[in-house]
Amino acid sequence: MSLSLRTCRHISEQLRMRDRVQRQAFEEIISQYNRLLEKSDMQAVLSERYQSDGPRGSQLSAADGGMRGDIQQEMSQMRIKHQEELTELHKKRGELAQNVIELNNQIQLKDKEIQRNEAKLVPLYLIICNLLHLVYICFLCLQDLERANQMLKDEYDALQITFSALEEKLRRTTEDNQELVSRWMAEKAQEANRLNAENEKDCRRRQAKLQKELADAAKEPLPLDPKRISQVPPGGLLDSIGNIFGGRSECWAKRCGLSCFQEAHDGEVNAVRFSPGSRLLATGGMDRRVKLWEVVSGHCEPKGALTGSNAGITSIEFDSAGSYLLAASNDFASRIWTVDDFRLRHTLTGHSGKVLAARFLLDNTRIVSGSYDRTLKLWDLRSKVCMKTVFAGSSCNDIVCTEQCVMSGHFDKKVRFWDIRAESIVRELELQGRVTSLDLSQERTELLTCSRDDLLKIIDLRTNTVRHTFSAPGFKCGADWTRVCFSPDSNYVVGGSADGGVYVWNVLTGKLERLLDKHHSSAINAVSWSPSGAFVLSVEKGSKAVLWSDL
């Protein structure tokens, strides 16, 4: 119906246009023709008057003859003029007739064109009908999808409610589990104290027995050989016994001194590391700088600063030769400097979150970085490109490496072991708190961990079991990036607490060996033990760093 209405409207407009064109052409002819009729009527009137005056012409005088002659002459001129006008009108009429024929031909052509267009409109009209049908079908599908969407939304709301209930149940279960673990740890501590007391009693009993045997042996007369007396060491019997039971009786933790230097950085100090095989050390802080220091006569002297980072430093690592320094920072990048000339050599970008840890592999040609974006990246320093990216599933707080394995500590309380060649997790170990620090023993057979449950643990990598757990009254992990470390001989572990104290535990006995306090004014972020074993440096959330030594 809409097509027929548009066709009628188009034909009506074409007829109006033709009427306007033809009427404009004939209006001039009609007006001239009307003027010609008026003149013809006037001539007829004059002719009738002339004929009516004819019978009376004989009665007119000779004076009227001249007047009639003038009238006749005038009428003959008017007749000639009218004849010329009539001829001109006939000529224009012919021209207009020719125009009318041409216009009719054009109208016929337009009519044919209209017919062709109407023939073309028929399939287009069918296409429009089909499209309207498709629109209707799509509208019905949209309604079905809206109903399905509403149904899915209702199911999602129900699942969300169920998830909330399960999450609350998980929270209560976690709290119960933590309470049970705390009770278990307290019972373990009591059992350890009881065992320690029994061991001390047994040790005293053995010492008393030994002293009794020595006293009995001293009462018995024995022949003395002068040659054997000359072979007794000059230190005496107690020194000989001391040499037999371990040589030096003093440990570093019992005879340490203090050398403190203020304002190591303009703000919080996050990282510290001694260079292997030298007295050089590095600190990194929120002032975006890595500062190098040299230990001279028990004091730290500044050697220079490494610049180029756009945010705070989070981790520091020397290569095995001490020639290069690797630092991770909060600007989503890791950087490598040469220690000798303090020049920035490489900038490794690609993480989408702040980089919390970066470590050299043993070949010093590759590094591994862990980020807040829950990924670990393996970089090739020769090509300066990222070789592999592994999604860990949780923010990575620290990393340590062996020849073919990377160990990472995460925010989700897990330590993950990665095979570099297979890019897969070999195994996982879950702790009771968020993992803040990892460190390997000298033999690379034991892993030291620190977590936010205020516990340090030593994990035997050969059996994948926890060998020791260290804790102390007052010790509290102050941040998600609090770093702890082994001593060079792996006989001690050291860590900084939120109360500003440095705690040293004996690995052999599992007991707290020494508490170094009263020198930090805020929580300790990191500690590092020198390769010689003579110094420990601790840095805090303030701007202070403290060097502990045995000088």
Side-chain angles (χ1 to χ4, degrees):
M1 182 179 294
S2 60
L3 179 62
S4 59
L5 289 174
R6 287 197 296 271
T7 304
C8 294
R9 191 180 297 109
H10 179 70
I11 294 172
S12 176
E13 290 178 356
Q14 292 292 326
L15 291 175
R16 291 192 186 94
M17 184 180 296
R18 186 177 65 181
D19 181 62
R20 287 195 299 272
V21 173
Q22 293 182 357
R23 185 175 64 184
Q24 184 178 2
F26 283 96
E27 278 180 356
E28 185 178 358
I29 298 174
I30 293 172
S31 61
Q32 292 180 2
Y33 183 72
N34 290 331
R35 288 198 300 273
L36 183 60
L37 288 178
E38 290 176 358
K39 292 181 180 180
S40 177
D41 293 338
M42 185 183 296
Q43 186 177 4
V45 172
L46 293 175
S47 298
E48 289 177 0
R49 186 183 299 173
Y50 177 73
Q51 289 177 1
S52 62
D53 291 341
R56 292 183 297 178
S58 59
Q59 298 176 4
L60 295 174
S61 60
D64 296 333
M67 186 180 296
R68 285 197 298 274
D70 296 334
I71 293 172
Q72 289 179 357
Q73 185 178 0
E74 182 180 0
M75 290 181 64
S76 62
Q77 292 177 355
M78 291 178 62
R79 190 179 297 108
I80 293 169
K81 184 177 180 181
H82 291 166
Q83 189 67 32
E84 292 176 352
E85 292 178 355
L86 183 61
T87 303
E88 185 69 22
L89 290 173
H90 281 297
K91 183 178 178 180
K92 289 184 177 182
R93 181 181 178 184
E95 294 176 354
L96 293 173
Q98 184 64 31
N99 292 333
V100 169
I101 292 171
E102 293 177 356
L103 292 172
N104 286 329
N105 292 332
Q106 293 179 2
I107 290 172
Q108 291 177 359
L109 294 175
K110 295 294 183 182
D111 290 337
K112 291 179 180 179
E113 186 177 357
I114 290 172
Q115 291 177 359
R116 288 195 299 271
N117 292 332
E118 289 178 350
K120 292 179 181 180
L121 287 174
V122 173
L124 294 176
Y125 176 72
L126 294 176
I127 292 173
I128 291 173
C129 292
N130 292 331
L131 291 176
L132 290 173
H133 182 65
L134 290 175
V135 168
Y136 178 71
I137 293 174
C138 292
F139 177 73
L140 295 178
C141 292
L142 179 62
Q143 288 182 340
D144 294 338
L145 290 174
E146 288 179 350
R147 287 193 294 269
N149 186 28
Q150 184 63 36
M151 185 182 299
L152 291 174
K153 186 177 179 182
D154 295 338
E155 292 178 358
Y156 172 78
D157 293 338
L159 291 174
Q160 189 68 26
I161 294 172
T162 306
F163 174 76
S164 300
L166 292 175
E167 191 176 25
E168 179 65 22
K169 184 177 179 181
L170 175 62
R171 186 186 63 80
R172 291 195 299 267
T173 304
T174 304
E175 291 178 354
D176 294 341
N177 185 31
Q178 290 179 352
E179 184 180 356
L180 291 175
V181 169
S182 299
R183 291 168 57 187
W184 179 73
M185 290 300 297
E187 292 178 358
K188 281 288 185 180
Q190 292 177 0
E191 184 179 359
N193 294 331
R194 182 176 59 79
L195 291 175
N196 289 332
E198 292 180 356
N199 290 333
E200 289 178 358
K201 289 180 180 179
D202 189 36
C203 183
R204 287 195 298 268
R205 187 165 54 251
R206 286 198 302 269
Q207 289 178 357
K209 183 179 180 181
L210 180 61
Q211 289 176 359
K212 183 179 179 181
E213 291 177 353
L214 289 174
D216 294 340
K219 292 178 181 178
E220 295 178 0
L222 294 175
L224 296 178
D225 189 355
K227 294 182 180 180
R228 297 186 63 180
I229 293 173
S230 61
Q231 295 177 356
V232 176
L237 180 62
L238 293 179
D239 290 340
S240 300
I241 294 174
N243 292 329
I244 292 173
F245 286 97
R248 250 167 62 170
S249 60
E250 286 187 347
C251 68
W252 172 90
K254 293 183 178 178
R255 53 189 176 83
C256 68
L258 171 67
S259 175
C260 174
F261 58 96
Q262 303 279 346
E263 301 295 335
H265 286 266
D266 295 333
E268 184 174 352
V269 189
N270 293 330
V272 60
R273 183 76 62 175
F274 275 92
S275 175
S278 70
R279 303 174 73 90
L280 190 69
L281 64 93
T283 58
M286 293 303 291
D287 58 357
R288 303 176 295 179
R289 292 184 178 183
V290 177
K291 291 188 178 182
L292 298 177
W293 311 83
E294 185 176 6
V295 180
V296 179
S297 299
H299 296 275
C300 290
E301 296 182 358
K303 299 296 290 183
L306 308 180
T307 60
S309 176
N310 299 316
I313 304 298
T314 58
S315 173
I316 293 175
E317 172 80 353
F318 285 94
D319 69 334
S320 59
S323 302
Y324 294 92
L325 185 142
L326 169 64
S329 64
N330 287 330
D331 61 353
F332 309 167
S334 301
R335 291 172 176 84
I336 298 176
W337 291 268
T338 49
V339 177
D340 294 337
D341 54 6
F342 308 152
R343 291 184 58 185
L344 178 63
R345 296 296 181 179
H346 306 292
T347 300
L348 307 176
T349 59
H351 284 289
S352 60
K354 54 188 178 181
V355 184
L356 299 176
R359 296 287 182 266
F360 283 101
L361 292 181
L362 297 183
D363 56 6
N364 291 332
T365 61
R366 297 173 297 171
I367 70 168
V368 178
S369 60
S371 172
Y372 188 76
D373 63 2
R374 299 178 292 177
T375 63
L376 277 74
K377 289 183 179 290
L378 178 64
W379 305 85
D380 186 358
L381 297 182
R382 290 167 294 191
S383 59
K384 303 178 184 179
V385 298
C386 176
M387 300 170 58
K388 298 176 183 178
T389 299
V390 180
F391 183 73
S394 178
S395 173
C396 178
N397 291 333
D398 201 5
I399 294 173
V400 291
C401 306
T402 60
E403 293 182 358
Q404 297 297 336
C405 183
V406 173
M407 288 154 274
S408 56
H410 294 270
F411 188 83
D412 61 355
K413 307 178 183 180
K414 291 182 180 180
V415 178
R416 292 179 170 87
F417 299 81
W418 306 86
D419 188 347
I420 298 177
R421 297 163 295 183
E423 303 181 26
S424 60
I425 300 177
V426 179
R427 60 182 184 271
E428 291 182 350
L429 180 64
E430 186 169 0
L431 303 181
Q432 300 300 321
R434 299 191 293 271
V435 183
T436 69
S437 177
L438 300 176
D439 192 33
L440 285 173
S441 64
Q442 184 180 11
E443 296 81 9
R444 298 185 179 275
T445 59
E446 295 178 335
L447 177 66
L448 174 65
T449 67
C450 179
S451 54
R452 290 307 299 268
D453 59 351
D454 306 328
L455 296 177
L456 278 69
K457 295 183 179 182
I458 293 181
I459 301 170
D460 192 336
L461 298 179
R462 295 164 294 189
T463 61
N464 198 29
T465 57
V466 177
R467 178 186 168 194
H468 292 294
T469 299
F470 304 101
S471 63
F475 177 80
K476 185 174 181 61
C477 186
D480 288 344
W481 52 89
T482 298
R483 309 299 192 200
V484 298
C485 68
F486 274 109
S487 63
D489 57 2
S490 302
N491 290 330
Y492 298 93
V493 294
V494 60
S497 174
D499 61 359
V502 178
Y503 291 74
V504 182
W505 287 272
N506 190 314
V507 174
L508 300 178
T509 64
K511 295 181 179 182
L512 182 66
E513 190 76 25
R514 184 69 182 275
L515 172 59
L516 311 175
D517 56 358
K518 298 181 181 179
H519 296 291
H520 282 285
S521 58
S522 59
I524 297 176
N525 282 334
V527 293
S528 180
W529 211 311
S530 67
S532 64
F535 303 99
V536 166
L537 188 74
S538 55
V539 296
E540 62 175 26
K541 286 190 175 181
S543 58
K544 185 189 297 183
V546 177
L547 180 68
W548 309 89
S549 70
D550 61 351
L551 299 178

